[in-house]
Amino acid sequence: MTTSDASRYYLPEPSHWPVTGSVALFCMALGGVLMMNGMVTPGAVSLAIGVAVLVYMLFGWFGTVIRESEAGKYNKQVDVSYRWSMSWFIFSEVMFFAGFFGALFYMRVLSVPDLAGLEQKLLWPEFAGGWPTAGPGAQDPFTPMGAWGIPAINTLLLLSSGVTVTWAHWALKQNKRGQLNLGLLLTILLGICFLALQAYEYVHAYSELNLKLTSGAYGATFFMLTGFHGAHVTLGTIMLIVILFRCLAGHFKPDHHFAFEAVSWYWHFVDVVWLLLFILVYWL
Amino acid sequence: MEAVHHLDHGHEHHPAGIMRWVTTTNHKDIGTLYLWFSFAMFMVGGVMALVIRAELFQPGLQIVQPEFFNQMTTLHGLIMVFGAIMPAFVGFANWQIPMMIGAPDMAFPRMNNWSFWLLPPAALLLVISLFVPGGAAAAGWTLYPPLTVQMGMGMDLTIFAVHILGMSSIMGSINIVTTVLNLRAPGMTLMKMPLFVWTWLITAYLLIAVMPVLAGAVTMTLTDRHFGTHFFNAAGGGDPVLFQHIFWFFGHPEVYIIILPGFGVVSQIIPAFSRKPLFGYASMVYATASIAILSFIVWAHHMYTVGMPVAGQLFFMFATMLIAVPTGVKVFNWLATMWKGSLTFEAPMLFALGFIFLFTTGGLTGIVLSIVPLDVQVHDTYYVVAHFHYTMVAGALFSAFGAVYFWLPKWTGKMYDEKLGKLHFWLSFIFFNLTFFVQHFLGLAGMPRRIPDYALQFAEFNAISSVGAFGFGLTQLLFFYIVLKCIRSGEKAPARPWEGADTLEWTLPSPAPYHSFETPPVVK
């Protein structure tokens, strides 16, 4: 480590973790392409190697960062850098979801009504537009997902988890370790319940509602938006579990715990995305 | 490349040989990697451009099959945008931003390394796509469905390459924004930052905002291809035009991502060789920010002909024309900076002046293209090709050449050969215009782009354009030679080789020490 001026800068040593991650992503991309194009076995091997290397890299890289942090190498300035970077990372995630919400808006407000318009009558005389729809060429009728069953319960679960993670944060700031661990554990359990219900809802959609990824505009936007959100909740839950283990290991101080805050920011972010999903995908 | 970094600094310790470059966390090493990678991709993309121009030298099909021609236009675009131009400017950012704001390095040196080392795997995926059944993506760099939904596995490789390139850009941009916001030396307030730093701050913001949107667009393409979604299929309630909207919501900010750092470079070079401070510094900052904000509300001017309400066309037309205002502010400020200055015309200044002339020409044809009724006539013709090559080549690339000549003494500690540098400029300037000026006429006469054959009436201008393109390509070998010669046997450069240059990097010795500012300088 080179700390030229201990009060200001932190410059890490050369590291092999980034290039390890690059190898992992290359193997994963290649494996994914092969699998999607009928070369399932070589593709799966490449994908599995990629995932294994990626997991190895994540453990190694984050492990290094955690050890450095616990060794007190991160000063105030590094802390501020982390805050900026996490904020901008979440902004990039917001824009990613904005793209999919934009697609939903475009279909509901522009392309579906357009397809029911006069100009398309020759091709699709029966199509009346309206939402939800699988489009004018749909052969396979489906039932849309209702808002006030599982999705409403899931809304309550996620909103409660936002409260419990904040409760844990208060505890951390007052150094009440028991309440901190309990709050984190509750947040994780609420997250897992959410994911379990979401999985159940998908099974329900496929087996009873005949609502599939292939169900036209509605199916595509429903599953892609809730699916990417679910993937983010999964990632957030894993992050929370890591933080819980770190708390149990005695990491974090009342005035030095940005990893905890970053994860809680992320958790609130997936919470807000869910509220938009609940209103725009399930309810309206 | 070892010669670039003299061991003149106490804190320098890193692995030797190849592992130094693979594991480096140093902003200068990473900047160097970016720049050499960019040059390699510039050569690859350039060879593809020459394949295109060789085929178009005469009417009829002579050299390549139409399918391969389409793969060349697609890969040429993708490689030049994502492999050559963007990494070149990230390379400048890596080298210069810490030095210009008085920091020792970037805020996240390890992530900085990953931002670079994600590029080779992505480039490899694109190269592999050329050799798989069905060949590389051949839908143009804009990747419009339904073509992209119908193509072979080369398209999947391209999609994942775009994903990885996007990750690289987002991480690199987060790093730059954090560095600029948090690592400035005491006294270096935002409104004292060199304009190159300002333009990169705004560029990085644009990148973080739009790269995820592109990732979403190609993800939808992927699921449409393999998992039965109907985002771009009207039978399912989707729309191929939806892709165009999402793509250009990314794509229009992307073109400013490419040009804004070039504006920054020119705003450093012009004052240095005019021996005057930049005219209208604050207005330059505000103009850059205005261009960035406007870039989010003009995207559909790329899509006038796909079908849009007249109100939509009018909105996008006027919003697009509005961009000429802040861009005009910049051009006039550069001119006013030179007014009554003590001008000298070394290679960086020549490239900056070439930039002003030719980029402004590209800007003017841009205003022409923003006019709906006119665009409907020349949409997807060589007029458009000429327009954006004036901004991408004579704009972004010329400013990149200017940046290399301007900062090469600081990076290597040696001077380049001034005569050869000037020769490089004049050859580039002449061959560039030979290649692209005539394409305006071709477009106005109705020659469509992305087609390997054409009517006999277009033969002369195409022959001229192809000769120009080969001249331009060969000229870039001269550039390679000049840089190598500078590194190997250039004369020793002083700390401040340009007497009019007054930003912080010139207070450091040449070559700059491994960690730029170990103790922060105080800026008054």
Side-chain angles (χ1 to χ4, degrees):
Chain A
M1 190 194 75
T2 318
T3 22
S4 41
D5 178 350
S7 67
R8 268 185 82 78
Y9 300 129
Y10 173 70
L11 299 176
E13 290 288 290
S15 168
H16 65 279
W17 295 119
V19 75
T20 313
S22 295
V23 172
L25 288 182
F26 178 77
C27 293
M28 286 167 69
L30 197 64
V33 171
L34 292 176
M35 281 184 80
M36 285 186 293
N37 288 278
M39 285 159 272
V40 177
T41 314
V45 170
S46 177
L47 186 63
I49 293 173
V51 171
V53 175
L54 186 71
V55 170
Y56 166 70
M57 179 279 261
L58 289 172
F59 267 90
W61 195 338
F62 278 104
T64 309
V65 172
I66 290 168
R67 276 189 297 280
E68 285 172 358
S69 174
E70 288 304 306
K73 290 177 180 176
Y74 294 166
N75 55 32
K76 187 72 191 148
Q77 189 182 33
V78 177
D79 192 67
V80 173
S81 286
Y82 279 134
R83 278 163 203 280
W84 275 120
S85 64
M86 192 67 196
S87 319
W88 285 101
F89 171 65
I90 289 175
F91 173 60
S92 79
E93 293 272 42
V94 168
M95 293 307 292
F96 180 77
F97 277 99
F100 283 91
F101 277 111
L104 174 67
F105 169 83
Y106 184 90
M107 287 178 179
R108 287 186 68 161
V109 177
L110 295 167
S111 70
V112 167
D114 224 33
L115 287 166
L118 266 184
E119 287 172 35
Q120 329 294 340
K121 282 297 174 224
L122 202 61
L123 192 55
W124 288 305
E126 304 297 316
F127 187 61
W131 191 266
T133 178
Q139 309 288 335
D140 207 13
F142 68 90
T143 314
M145 185 64 68
W148 298 106
I150 293 172
I153 299 172
N154 266 344
T155 309
L156 279 178
L157 288 179
L158 270 196
L159 287 178
S160 314
S161 75
V163 174
T164 52
V165 79
T166 307
W167 189 58
H169 190 203
W170 287 349
L172 176 52
K173 284 203 278 196
Q174 294 162 1
N175 215 14
K176 296 181 190 161
R177 305 296 293 200
Q179 185 187 329
L180 164 66
N181 295 337
L182 180 63
L184 269 176
L185 186 67
L186 284 174
T187 313
I188 292 165
L189 290 176
L190 287 167
I192 291 172
C193 286
F194 173 90
L195 287 170
L197 283 177
Q198 198 73 351
Y200 174 78
E201 181 191 88
Y202 276 16
V203 173
H204 172 66
Y206 264 79
S207 59
E208 283 151 56
L209 302 180
N210 198 32
L211 170 59
K212 297 173 181 157
L213 186 60
T214 50
S215 301
Y218 183 80
T221 48
F222 174 83
F223 280 107
M224 292 297 276
L225 273 163
T226 58
F228 270 117
H229 176 262
H232 281 74
V233 176
T234 310
L235 186 61
T237 308
I238 294 170
M239 285 154 66
L240 283 167
I241 291 171
V242 172
I243 294 296
L244 176 61
F245 276 110
R246 287 188 65 186
C247 287
L248 292 174
H251 291 191
F252 303 129
K253 296 186 204 73
D255 58 344
H256 189 87
H257 52 260
F258 180 66
F260 180 98
E261 283 180 78
V263 172
S264 78
W265 289 359
Y266 193 80
W267 195 251
H268 290 309
F269 154 71
V270 295
D271 214 355
V272 171
V273 173
W274 173 260
L275 285 178
L276 288 173
L277 281 178
F278 182 70
I279 295 167
L280 296 172
V281 176
Y282 289 100
W283 186 5
L284 295 179
Chain B
M1 284 310 301
E2 292 299 315
V4 176
H5 304 287
H6 283 273
L7 302 172
D8 57 358
H9 208 272
H11 288 289
E12 187 178 352
H13 49 92
H14 49 67
I18 182 84
M19 286 314 283
R20 167 185 174 180
W21 299 100
V22 174
T23 64
T24 182
T25 48
N26 180 277
H27 74 103
K28 298 191 180 71
D29 286 356
I30 294 168
T32 304
L33 285 170
Y34 264 111
L35 290 172
W36 280 116
F37 176 83
S38 154
F39 187 76
M41 286 296 112
F42 175 56
M43 288 289 121
V44 173
V47 167
M48 291 173 173
L50 294 185
V51 172
I52 296 168
R53 280 318 320 170
E55 176 56 51
L56 292 174
F57 181 62
Q58 286 184 328
L61 292 178
Q62 279 93 20
I63 299 167
V64 294
Q65 293 300 308
E67 294 78 15
F68 189 70
F69 182 90
N70 288 346
Q71 294 174 27
M72 287 293 105
T73 53
T74 305
L75 281 183
H76 165 72
L78 285 172
I79 287 177
M80 286 305 200
V81 168
F82 292 106
I85 295 289
M86 286 168 67
F89 284 102
V90 183
F92 300 140
N94 258 297
W95 261 99
Q96 292 306 128
I97 287 177
M99 290 204 276
M100 292 175 115
I101 62 171
D105 207 301
M106 300 291 280
F108 301 107
R110 278 183 293 236
M111 190 167 80
N112 199 14
N113 174 302
W114 205 20
S115 302
F116 171 75
W117 280 106
L118 282 173
L119 297 180
L124 196 57
L125 288 172
L126 283 178
V127 171
I128 293 173
S129 78
L130 271 170
F131 301 99
V132 298
W141 84 282
T142 49
L143 303 176
Y144 281 4
L147 273 179
T148 47
V149 179
Q150 294 156 356
M151 271 170 187
M153 66 187 286
M155 192 61 224
D156 297 319
L157 289 161
T158 308
I159 288 172
F160 284 127
V162 168
H163 276 135
I164 293 176
L165 290 166
M167 286 177 65
S168 159
S169 288
I170 291 168
M171 283 192 279
S173 302
I174 289 176
N175 211 340
I176 288 170
V177 172
T178 306
T179 305
V180 173
L181 292 179
N182 195 36
L183 262 64
R184 297 194 310 280
M188 175 66 82
T189 57
L190 285 175
M191 290 308 277
K192 280 184 186 166
M193 290 196 310
L195 217 64
F196 178 72
V197 181
W198 252 116
T199 53
W200 245 116
L201 176 64
I202 291 166
T203 302
Y205 158 74
L206 286 177
L207 273 167
I208 301 171
V210 299
M211 286 315 270
V213 177
L214 175 67
V218 294
T219 304
M220 291 179 211
T221 307
L222 189 77
T223 57
D224 267 18
R225 286 169 56 78
H226 293 292
F227 302 102
T229 57
H230 293 82
F231 285 106
F232 310 133
N233 184 347
D239 188 352
V241 178
L242 168 60
F243 180 89
Q244 300 187 20
H245 280 290
I246 306 176
F247 180 85
W248 285 113
F249 183 82
F250 147 81
H252 205 80
E254 168 70 18
V255 305
Y256 296 124
I257 286 162
I258 287 171
I259 202 64
L260 286 181
F263 286 171
V265 166
V266 172
S267 304
Q268 302 303 132
I269 293 175
I270 298 275
F273 294 92
S274 307
R275 289 153 185 85
K276 273 177 67 191
L278 184 68
F279 184 89
Y281 171 89
S283 67
M284 286 298 233
V285 173
Y286 300 139
T288 311
S290 310
I291 291 172
I293 291 162
L294 284 173
S295 75
F296 286 106
I297 55 163
V298 297
W299 76 87
H301 67 212
H302 296 269
M303 311 161 46
Y304 286 147
T305 57
V306 300
M308 199 189 307
V310 173
Q313 292 184 325
L314 285 175
F315 170 79
F316 285 107
M317 174 166 86
F318 290 129
T320 305
M321 289 176 169
L322 215 52
I323 291 183
V325 177
T327 313
V329 167
K330 287 188 154 291
V331 172
F332 284 113
N333 277 344
W334 290 323
L335 298 182
T337 306
M338 288 187 282
W339 180 256
K340 292 190 174 176
S342 317
L343 302 180
T344 52
F345 299 95
E346 286 87 347
M349 183 63 162
L350 286 176
F351 274 106
L353 292 175
F355 172 98
I356 295 178
F357 275 104
L358 297 177
F359 175 80
T360 307
T361 308
L364 286 172
T365 54
I367 298 175
V368 171
L369 286 170
S370 76
I371 303 165
V372 177
L374 206 147
D375 178 84
V376 170
Q377 300 300 314
V378 294
H379 186 87
D380 257 347
T381 68
Y382 265 82
Y383 192 87
V384 177
V385 175
H387 154 68
F388 71 75
H389 281 91
Y390 266 74
T391 58
M392 299 264 172
V393 180
L397 184 63
F398 273 28
S399 65
F401 285 143
V404 169
Y405 289 120
F406 189 52
W407 283 313
L408 208 51
K410 181 55 61 186
W411 301 340
T412 62
K414 292 171 185 172
M415 292 304 285
Y416 62 89
D417 188 322
E418 187 59 54
K419 267 192 191 143
L420 289 181
K422 282 180 176 150
L423 181 67
H424 174 220
F425 168 74
W426 285 111
L427 289 176
S428 294
F429 185 86
I430 291 164
F431 283 125
F432 167 81
N433 283 297
L434 207 55
T435 312
F436 292 108
F437 195 72
V438 291
Q439 292 185 0
H440 291 110
F441 307 134
L442 286 172
L444 289 171
M447 178 172 162
R449 64 192 284 210
R450 294 174 175 168
I451 307 278
D453 193 4
Y454 50 82
L456 277 177
Q457 57 176 334
F458 303 129
E460 283 83 0
F461 283 142
N462 269 297
I464 294 170
S465 182
S466 290
V467 169
F470 276 85
F472 190 84
L474 287 175
T475 303
Q476 305 324 316
L477 297 178
L478 174 64
F479 171 66
F480 185 51
Y481 171 74
I482 295 170
V483 172
L484 282 190
K485 188 179 170 203
C486 169
I487 292 168
R488 283 167 182 242
S489 58
E491 283 175 38
K492 194 162 169 22
R496 187 198 300 267
W498 319 117
E499 60 187 47
D502 62 352
T503 40
L504 274 180
E505 75 268 33
W506 307 109
T507 64
L508 290 167
S510 294
Y514 200 60
H515 296 299
S516 302
F517 286 96
E518 299 245 321
T519 44
V522 177
V523 181
K524 293 197 184 82

